[in-house]
Amino acid sequence: MAEDKKRTRRANGESAIYFGKDERWHARVPMGYKDDGTPYRRHLTRPTRKELVDEVRRLEKQRDEGSARQPGKPWTVAKWLEHWVENIAKPVVSENTYDGYEVAVRVHLVPGIGKHRIDRLEPEHLESLYRRMQSAGSKAGTAHQAHRTARTALGEAVRRGHAAKNAAALAKPPRMEEDEAEVEPYSVDEVQSLLLEVNKRRNSARWMLALALGLRQGETLGLRWSDVDLDHEYLKLRRNRLRPKYEHGCGEAEQCGRKAGYCPTRVQVRRETKNTKSRAGRRAVPLPGPLVVMLRSHRRVQARERAAAGNLWTESEYVFTKPLGGPLSPNTDYHDWKRLLEDAGVRDGRLHDARHTAGTVLMLLGVPDRVIDQIMGWEPGGAARMRARYLHVTDPMLKEAARKIARAIWGTPESPAVDKNQDNEA
């Protein structure tokens, strides 16, 4: 039976199917509206009506599910990522999050996969990029950052109909275990060695807030005197100090020939602090008595520095400042930590290891989990995961557990020693 080649009247929004003068079947499928509000229809053509109807049904399904490609020239990965990071992500994420996205896009994703069309990107393209990154010397953590950025950006592309699938959500990033060194918190003896050295330095209380209470660097440097109640022995954490970011102030040609941070007329383009992003981060933390004493002494020293500096003092209300006032730079603070470790004769470590140390000491002292979560600023939903990450079982803790087992089962803590003597006699 010959195929029906007549045009038929259709309802609004229904696809039009007809036989053309070129002896082929054609369809016009409504797909929505263009940016200017005019209707957008996709034109399809096939040699038989059955083939055309099958293709029309497939396209209509994509349209109804929101996964069909939108009108206009398809996005390349590079074009989409650059648009996404500047126009979609930047207005709604924190400065630090934006910086991480921007570096991943500019340094890794655009050079690595930017020429692909976004609707033709495959998981294998991303997995190949991760392997190339590691072969070139990037750590697994760097590849993971690129992966997370791509997953977020492509997820937004799928939601907006620019791609039918999120290739990054299907791709397998490299294993982090191959790149992460085991964190070893500082022992009580090492903390005491640091305390002896800390007492000789300016801003000494700054380091004990990290080692004793686990305050993050941004929380400590963003602390203001209005947040500290020494009479009632607690402080309130409300904001984080941000890493400064500068632009050249010497003109578009960057005439000074230096990096923006060293330009003589540099311009600060990032706010100094931001509010903590989570409710758990905005918290009250109790101050141990010795820390109260240190902070009282620190306030007196700061008052003397202010009086000595006179008009040169930069008023800021921060608890920890430069010698002439003004907020401490996170970069300067980091190098001060490194010098502190060296002068105290303590092994090298990250500044963030002090936070691991504080959490482990709280666990060692038997502080309840709920109180640890409050001091460390962990959300209730993710607190168990954070405790697993930050609270470390140390060798002394394991040996103490062994002694308790010996007392409970053998009735004496000397059992291991007896066994050792017996081995020697044998």
Side-chain angles (χ1 to χ4, degrees):
M1 182 181 293
E3 295 177 296
D4 183 10
K5 301 178 182 180
K6 294 181 179 179
R7 287 179 180 261
T8 58
R9 192 174 185 86
R10 66 187 190 281
N12 288 336
E14 185 181 350
S15 300
I17 298 176
Y18 59 93
F19 190 73
K21 294 181 180 180
D22 57 357
E23 301 294 318
R24 291 175 62 86
W25 285 90
H26 296 258
R28 302 282 178 174
V29 184
M31 300 299 293
Y33 297 89
K34 300 178 183 179
D35 291 342
D36 61 2
T38 58
Y40 166 56
R41 297 180 179 88
R42 288 275 294 276
H43 174 243
L44 301 175
T45 179
R46 295 292 185 275
T48 69
R49 191 176 194 282
K50 183 180 184 308
E51 290 178 287
L52 183 64
V53 168
D54 290 343
E55 185 64 19
V56 167
R57 298 294 175 260
R58 185 188 66 82
L59 190 59
E60 288 176 336
K61 182 180 179 182
Q62 287 185 355
R63 175 198 64 195
D64 296 340
E65 292 175 346
S67 61
R69 180 170 62 83
Q70 294 301 300
K73 188 176 180 180
W75 292 85
T76 64
V77 173
K79 183 180 177 183
W80 171 253
L81 289 175
E82 290 165 350
H83 169 75
W84 169 80
V85 75
E86 291 298 328
N87 300 301
I88 300 175
K90 188 175 183 179
V92 297
V93 301
S94 70
E95 289 91 335
N96 289 342
T97 301
Y98 165 77
D99 284 347
Y101 285 161
E102 192 276 332
V103 170
V105 167
R106 173 173 49 84
V107 177
H108 302 295
L109 295 173
V110 168
I113 56 172
K115 293 182 179 179
H116 290 283
R117 265 180 46 172
I118 195 170
D119 56 343
R120 295 179 181 174
L121 185 68
E122 298 294 336
E124 292 77 13
H125 296 143
L126 286 154
E127 290 163 350
S128 176
L129 169 64
Y130 305 150
R131 289 193 295 271
R132 295 197 306 272
M133 288 174 63
Q134 290 188 281
S135 297
S138 293
K139 295 182 179 180
T142 305
H144 259 268
Q145 172 66 11
H147 172 73
R148 291 191 297 271
T149 301
R151 185 177 60 197
T152 304
L154 294 175
E156 189 64 35
V158 170
R159 282 190 291 274
R160 298 183 182 216
H162 302 308
K165 66 183 179 184
N166 185 341
L170 302 173
K172 301 294 184 184
R175 292 182 59 183
M176 288 290 288
E177 291 83 357
E178 299 173 359
D179 189 53
E180 288 186 342
E182 182 68 24
V183 175
E184 183 181 355
Y186 291 107
S187 68
V188 174
D189 288 341
E190 287 174 317
V191 172
Q192 290 174 345
S193 296
L194 288 169
L195 177 59
L196 291 174
E197 184 60 35
V198 156
N199 288 330
K200 306 173 187 176
R201 312 174 89 86
R202 186 177 177 275
N203 286 335
S204 58
R206 181 265 174 272
W207 306 114
M208 296 316 300
L209 285 173
L211 289 163
L213 298 176
L215 268 60
R216 302 174 179 91
Q217 183 190 43
E219 292 172 339
T220 306
L221 300 190
L223 199 63
R224 295 177 181 172
W225 283 114
S226 58
D227 303 322
V228 181
D229 188 336
L230 296 180
D231 293 332
H232 296 91
E233 301 185 348
Y234 74 91
L235 54 84
K236 290 184 178 180
L237 297 173
R238 302 168 178 170
R239 62 186 66 83
N240 286 310
R241 171 84 165 98
L242 296 175
R243 188 176 297 275
K245 185 176 182 179
Y246 301 100
E247 288 183 355
H248 282 276
C250 55
E252 295 183 1
E254 299 177 0
Q255 300 173 3
C256 65
R258 306 176 185 178
K259 292 183 178 180
Y262 298 94
C263 176
T265 56
R266 67 186 185 186
V267 178
Q268 168 72 280
V269 294
R270 177 177 290 168
R271 53 182 171 162
E272 284 186 358
T273 63
K274 68 168 185 176
N275 293 335
T276 53
K277 64 181 180 181
S278 68
R279 182 176 299 177
R282 296 186 291 274
R283 63 197 189 276
V285 176
L287 290 171
L291 250 177
V292 173
V293 174
M294 292 183 75
L295 285 168
R296 288 188 188 278
S297 174
H298 173 72
R299 188 163 59 180
R300 290 193 296 270
V301 170
Q302 190 179 82
R304 290 197 295 269
E305 289 178 340
R306 182 187 292 106
N311 293 334
L312 298 178
W313 181 264
T314 301
E315 196 60 58
S316 63
E317 293 298 321
Y318 286 107
V319 174
F320 303 108
T321 67
K322 302 173 185 177
L324 292 177
L328 282 174
S329 163
N331 186 54
T332 301
D333 183 68
Y334 166 80
H335 289 294
D336 287 345
W337 165 256
K338 291 295 186 179
R339 283 191 293 271
L340 172 61
L341 294 177
E342 183 178 355
D343 293 346
V346 172
R347 59 187 166 85
D348 190 28
R350 307 172 306 164
L351 176 53
H352 203 65
D353 290 348
R355 184 165 167 79
H356 286 260
T357 300
T360 301
V361 170
L362 291 171
M363 178 179 66
L364 179 63
L365 295 174
V367 176
D369 287 348
R370 182 66 188 88
V371 179
I372 294 177
D373 298 344
Q374 165 80 15
I375 292 174
M376 300 293 284
W378 293 331
E379 291 280 7
R385 179 175 56 85
M386 299 306 291
R387 286 196 295 271
R389 179 180 177 184
Y390 279 87
L391 310 188
H392 303 268
V393 179
T394 61
D395 285 344
M397 295 166 69
L398 292 172
K399 290 178 181 177
E400 177 60 23
R403 283 194 290 269
K404 290 180 179 179
I405 293 171
R407 284 194 293 269
I409 297 178
W410 286 278
T412 172
E414 302 301 329
S415 298
V418 172
D419 290 343
K420 181 177 179 181
N421 293 334
Q422 290 175 349
D423 289 341
N424 291 337
E425 291 174 2

